[in-house]
Amino acid sequence: MMTNLFSIFDPASSIQSSSNWSSTIIIMLMMTPMFWLIPSRQFYFISLIINKIFYEIKTLLGPISAPGSAIMFIALLMMIMFNNFMGLFPYIFTSTSHLVCSMTLSLPLWLSFMVYGWFNFYNHMLAHLVPQSTPSVLMSFMVIIETVSNIIRPLTLAVRLSANMIAGHLLMTLLGNQTASAHLFTLYLLLGTQIILLVLESAVALIQSYVFAVLSSLYSSESSF
């Protein structure tokens, strides 16, 4: 384990094993009782949110999207969101703050969209490289820009998710390290700031999972028709 400030983002708990990654599958143990126990109010609340997001993603994908594609993005959103929330608990590693995890999610998605689009909608993918109403002089330049922007999409998706999770956790760690030597008034001020940051981090955990799923669905819709 690293001994500096960034040790909270080190996935290795020891030299022999790395049990911190097990936090990624803890949520599966928490969600499965929903499907065989008597549904609770929390289950109905989660189902209502999922249905709202489902219809929104279905609209973004378009009318000719593949059956079940919206469910895939809903599952992606739920997995990222719960992993983000798990990182707010003490002594639990936030897997989504590591580029290994976020790139594992974004790169295969982007690659599958590109392969499917270029093999099935070749002319449509070429048309995307030149935006509408582009002057003839700038067409070749716009092709380069659009190509670069398409190539870096998985990196931007992964870095956006990881950077936002790291930033909040790092700030909370910095403030938490100051409580040991703080005076009484400063301690109350730090505790109040920590509570505000915890609320903001909860919002970030939800927003970043939503942004990741929506952007992935938009990239999918661009290569589908």
Side-chain angles (χ1 to χ4, degrees), residues 21-46:
W21 288 110
S22 61
S23 63
T24 308
I25 61 173
I26 290 178
I27 188 57
M28 297 181 183
L29 304 177
M30 299 171 60
M31 290 188 66
T32 47
M34 295 181 181
F35 300 101
W36 55 273
L37 292 178
I38 298 175
S40 60
R41 293 182 179 179
Q42 291 83 0
F43 176 75
Y44 285 119
F45 179 70
I46 294 175

Side-chain angles (χ1 to χ4, degrees), residues 152-165:
I152 66 174
R153 277 179 176 179
L155 182 62
T156 55
L157 272 178
V159 171
R160 181 186 294 110
L161 176 61
S162 298
N164 280 280
M165 298 311 299

Side-chain angles (χ1 to χ4, degrees), residues 161-220:
L161 176 61
S162 298
N164 280 280
M165 298 311 299
I166 287 176
H169 286 61
L170 191 61
L171 186 57
M172 293 178 67
T173 304
L174 286 170
L175 292 177
N177 291 338
Q178 305 301 319
T179 56
S181 59
H183 298 290
L184 187 60
F185 175 76
T186 309
L187 182 61
Y188 287 143
L189 184 61
L190 288 174
L191 288 177
T193 307
Q194 287 274 48
I195 293 174
I196 295 174
L197 283 176
L198 186 61
V199 174
L200 291 176
E201 277 298 292
S202 301
V204 169
L206 176 61
I207 292 171
Q208 288 305 314
S209 59
Y210 177 77
V211 168
F212 194 99
V214 168
L215 287 178
S216 299
S217 61
L218 287 174
Y219 296 159
S220 175

Side-chain angles (χ1 to χ4, degrees), residues 1 12-18:
M1 178 70 72
S13 56
S14 65
I15 299 176
Q16 290 80 13
S17 64
S18 180

Side-chain angles (χ1 to χ4, degrees), residues 20 24 33 58 77-78 95 99 110 113 132 177 182 201 210:
N20 279 334
T24 308
K58 190 71 175 176
L77 183 146
M78 297 298 292
S95 58
L99 276 176
W110 172 83
F113 298 154
Q132 192 175 4
N177 291 338
E201 277 298 292
Y210 177 77

Side-chain angles (χ1 to χ4, degrees), residues 50-69:
I50 290 176
N51 288 331
K52 293 291 185 181
I53 299 176
F54 174 81
Y55 289 115
E56 182 174 351
I57 291 180
K58 190 71 175 176
T59 304
L60 292 175
L61 291 175
I64 60 173
S65 59
S69 56

Side-chain angles (χ1 to χ4, degrees), residues 98-182:
H98 206 283
L99 276 176
V100 171
C101 179
S102 55
M103 282 295 291
T104 303
L105 295 174
S106 63
L107 186 58
L109 280 174
W110 172 83
L111 190 60
S112 61
F113 298 154
M114 290 296 102
V115 171
Y116 176 78
W118 283 103
F119 272 92
N120 295 278
F121 306 100
Y122 182 78
N123 293 331
H124 175 73
M125 297 297 289
L126 284 177
H128 263 297
L129 298 179
V130 181
Q132 192 175 4
S133 303
T134 302
S136 302
V137 182
L138 299 178
M139 281 186 179
S140 58
F141 185 64
M142 290 304 299
V143 168
I144 298 175
I145 294 178
E146 290 295 324
T147 302
V148 173
S149 65
N150 283 332
I151 292 174
I152 66 174
R153 277 179 176 179
L155 182 62
T156 55
L157 272 178
V159 171
R160 181 186 294 110
L161 176 61
S162 298
N164 280 280
M165 298 311 299
I166 287 176
H169 286 61
L170 191 61
L171 186 57
M172 293 178 67
T173 304
L174 286 170
L175 292 177
N177 291 338
Q178 305 301 319
T179 56
S181 59

